[in-house]
């Protein structure tokens, strides 16, 4: 032992010995753990229409809600894919809930197909009409969010260089819920069996149970 070293407690050793890497220099592991760490991630199953009225449906694993008043959701597109182009052209998109019963259809709609191919029809899904946007929703999905486009942000790195990723933000202007999944006025995601992306090549999670943990009450006199 070096003269100025001292035995470390288990807690100190655990912190000091954590595996660390800088993404820009490589992770040194068999597979990049980033997507497994930031998980589970909601799946934005995005339906759009182009100016000619052709339907597009695709899942995005970089998707989430960013505020609730007003409700705003967003998905990130690597490259200028059909969902991004259609949202820009028409100013709208729909986020459909991805569930275990629809998992195969979700996966099928992720296939790389020529522009103009209707993935919703290809997956055998029903193009149900929306109320406030022209794009259809997935009729079989327990929930769908009609969205009006707010902005598209070209993401940049720490050096200010533009990446090939675009964050598409939309305000939810209409919500569809299948009454079969409402229990005492609450949307039951365990009944819907919502799925989420969990990293590595084919890993997904299914919501089959919940636990409750309420915030602490504020202290003080």
């Amino acid at each position: 032992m070096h003269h100025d070293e001292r035995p470390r407690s288990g807690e100190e050793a655990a912190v000091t010995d954590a595996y660390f890497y800088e993404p820009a220099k490589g992770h040194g592991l068999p597979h990049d753990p980033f997507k497994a760490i930031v998980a589970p991630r909601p799946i934005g199953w995005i339906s759009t229409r182009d100016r000619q009225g052709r339907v597009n449906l695709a899942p995005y694993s970089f998707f989430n809600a960013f505020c609730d008043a007003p409700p705003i959701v967003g998905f990130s597109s690597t490259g200028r894919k059909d969902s991004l182009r259609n949202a820009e052209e028409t100013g709208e998109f729909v986020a459909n809930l991805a569930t275990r019963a629809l998992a195969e259809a979700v996966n099928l709609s992720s296939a790389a197909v020529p522009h103009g191919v209707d993935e919703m029809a290809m997956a055998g899904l029903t193009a149900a009409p929306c109320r406030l946007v022209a794009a259809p929703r997935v009729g079989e999905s327990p929930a769908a969010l009609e969205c009006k486009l707010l902005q598209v942000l070209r993401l940049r790195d720490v050096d200010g260089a533009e990446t090939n990723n675009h964050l598409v933000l939309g305000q939810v202007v209409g919500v569809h819920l299948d009454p079969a999944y409402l229990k005492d006025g609450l949307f039951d995601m365990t009944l819907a069996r919502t799925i989420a992306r969990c990293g590595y090549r084919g890993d997904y999670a299914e919501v089959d149970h919940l636990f409750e943990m309420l915030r602490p009450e504020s202290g003080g006199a």
Side-chain angles (χ1 to χ4, degrees):
M1 180 180 293
H2 196 272
H3 73 279
D4 60 356
E5 289 184 350
R6 60 183 176 83
R8 295 177 296 176
S9 68
E11 182 177 354
E12 289 176 325
V15 172
T16 303
D17 296 337
Y19 188 91
F20 173 81
Y21 70 91
E22 298 176 53
K25 298 179 180 178
H27 48 75
L29 299 169
H31 301 284
D32 187 350
F34 173 72
K35 292 180 181 178
I37 296 168
V38 187
R41 299 189 309 281
I43 297 171
W45 202 14
I46 307 300
S47 53
T48 56
R49 290 179 68 181
D50 64 16
R51 284 178 178 156
Q52 288 73 44
R54 293 174 297 188
V55 174
N56 182 265
L57 177 67
Y60 289 83
S61 66
F62 288 112
F63 168 85
N64 220 315
F66 295 97
C67 65
D68 61 352
I72 294 175
V73 297
F75 66 95
S76 180
S77 173
T78 300
R80 296 190 55 79
K81 296 178 180 175
D82 287 344
S83 300
L84 167 59
R85 288 195 297 265
N86 292 350
E88 286 182 322
E89 287 182 2
T90 64
E92 60 187 38
F93 63 89
V94 181
N96 304 275
L97 187 66
T99 66
R100 185 65 185 91
L102 296 170
E104 294 303 323
V106 172
N107 192 44
L108 185 58
S109 68
S110 71
V113 295
H115 177 69
V117 172
D118 184 342
E119 293 89 350
M120 198 175 293
M122 183 179 70
L125 299 166
T126 304
C130 285
R131 298 286 188 89
L132 303 176
V133 303
R137 59 189 174 89
V138 174
E140 291 79 4
S141 179
L145 308 175
E146 298 187 18
C147 301
K148 292 286 190 178
L149 181 67
L150 294 175
Q151 56 184 312
V152 177
L153 302 174
R154 182 78 175 266
L155 300 182
R156 298 175 179 270
D157 65 17
V158 293
D159 298 317
E162 290 185 339
T163 72
N164 194 33
N165 301 283
H166 306 76
L167 177 60
V168 183
L169 295 172
Q171 181 171 327
V172 179
V173 295
V175 179
H176 296 263
L177 294 174
D178 185 333
Y181 298 93
L182 291 174
K183 285 187 175 181
D184 300 322
L186 302 177
F187 182 76
D188 189 342
M189 69 176 65
T190 62
L191 185 60
R193 296 163 65 199
T194 303
I195 60 173
R197 198 71 172 90
C198 285
Y200 304 114
R201 292 179 58 189
D203 296 335
Y204 291 81
E206 174 186 348
V207 179
D208 56 8
H209 70 279
L210 303 174
F211 71 92
E212 186 176 56
M213 184 167 58
L214 303 178
R215 287 183 179 182
E217 294 184 6
S218 298

